[in-house]
């Protein structure tokens, strides 16, 4: 979809192309195959952890299994009715270090990549380490859950739709920690 100025509605704001992850990650482009399921992507330089630097952090180009660069418009996102897990998982900088890539609808996260959505709102694309800070549990034990897919384990400790953010939380099933993707990867609820 294109806006009045002829720009793609999902075009990336070039001025805001900084990207969060546990250790921070810069991407040249991002994307995926359009379904709300976890998929695994690898940097083009498989088994070569770092290809270049942006002056601060290693950079990597994410590609799909057919080696096509991922584009922002292909990244799945949660809507209020989402009951699935709209994330992508990619390994970075090493092949055994998973990261969670997500697109949060109508949520503006400082320092994330900001993308205009088809409704005229702004989405944030951000990535966090897929390894929990505590015991090192990895996805899918550490996973993103939008407001309509509160994990059963989280419900047992008192979470309901009234206190689970609509945009969702990252939840570690190993012992129940919750991370708020809007407030940063270090925001630990429990
Ligand atoms: S075991 Fe994952 S946060 Fe504690």
């Amino acid at each position: 979809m294109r806006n009045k100025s002829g720009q793609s509605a999902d075009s990336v704001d070039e001025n805001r192309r900084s990207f969060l992850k546990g250790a921070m990650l810069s991407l040249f482009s991002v994307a995926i195959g359009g379904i709300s399921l976890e998929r695994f992507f690898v940097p083009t330089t498989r088994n070569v952890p770092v290809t270049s630097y942006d002056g601060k952090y290693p950079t990597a180009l994410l590609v799909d299994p057919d080696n096509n660069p991922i584009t922002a418009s292909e990244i799945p996102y949660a809507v209020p009715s989402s009951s699935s897990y709209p994330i992508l998982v990619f390994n970075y900088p090493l092949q055994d270090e998973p990261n969670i890539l997500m697109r949060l609808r109508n949520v503006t996260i400082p320092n994330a990549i900001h993308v205009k959505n088809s409704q005229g709102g702004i989405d944030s694309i951000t990535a966090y380490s897929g390894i929990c800070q505590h015991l090192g549990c990895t996805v899918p034990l550490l996973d993103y859950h939008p407001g309509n897919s509160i994990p059963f384990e989280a419900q047992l400790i008192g979470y309901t739709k009234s206190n689970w953010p609509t945009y969702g939380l990252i939840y570690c099933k190993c012992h129940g920690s919750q991370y708020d993707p809007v407030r940063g990867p270090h925001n630990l609820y429990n």
Side-chain angles (χ1 to χ4, degrees):
M1 175 175 276
R2 294 185 175 277
N3 60 26
K4 292 180 181 176
S5 64
Q7 294 178 312
S8 169
D10 284 329
S11 63
V12 175
D13 180 350
E14 292 292 337
N15 296 323
R16 308 299 295 272
R17 296 190 88 175
S18 57
F19 212 153
L20 270 182
K21 154 186 158 354
M24 296 291 282
L25 165 66
S26 295
L27 300 176
F28 298 130
S29 61
V30 284
I32 175 178
I35 55 176
S36 298
L37 295 173
E38 292 177 11
R39 292 181 59 180
F40 288 79
F41 293 90
V42 298
T44 50
T45 51
R46 196 181 191 97
N47 298 321
V48 179
V50 175
T51 58
S52 62
Y53 291 91
D54 65 358
K56 269 187 169 182
Y57 303 102
T59 61
L61 175 66
L62 298 187
V63 298
D64 65 18
D66 296 323
N67 215 35
N68 298 312
I70 296 171
T71 62
S73 61
E74 295 174 292
I75 299 175
Y77 51 82
V79 295
S81 61
S82 293
S83 58
S84 60
Y85 314 98
I87 63 169
L88 302 181
V89 178
F90 62 95
N91 296 318
Y92 171 91
L94 303 177
Q95 291 302 305
D96 61 349
E97 294 183 353
N99 299 271
I100 296 171
L101 177 65
M102 61 181 68
R103 177 171 175 166
L104 296 171
R105 196 73 163 171
N106 295 316
V107 174
T108 303
I109 304 174
N111 299 319
I113 291 177
H114 297 149
V115 178
K116 291 180 182 175
N117 61 46
S118 58
Q119 299 172 334
I122 300 294
D123 296 349
S124 291
I125 299 174
T126 188
Y128 294 113
S129 172
I131 305 173
C132 86
Q133 298 171 327
H134 184 207
L135 298 180
C137 293
T138 60
V139 287
L141 286 174
L142 180 74
D143 207 350
Y144 167 62
H145 296 263
N148 214 32
S149 66
I150 304 172
F152 174 72
E153 295 87 344
Q155 296 178 38
L156 292 178
I157 60 174
Y159 274 107
T160 65
K161 286 188 176 181
S162 64
N163 56 8
W164 191 272
T166 303
Y167 56 75
L169 295 176
I170 298 170
Y171 186 82
C172 179
K173 290 184 177 178
C174 286
H175 94 276
S177 289
Q178 313 100 53
Y179 302 86
D180 188 333
V182 171
R183 300 171 65 183
H186 302 297
N187 185 272
L188 192 61
Y189 275 54
N190 280 329

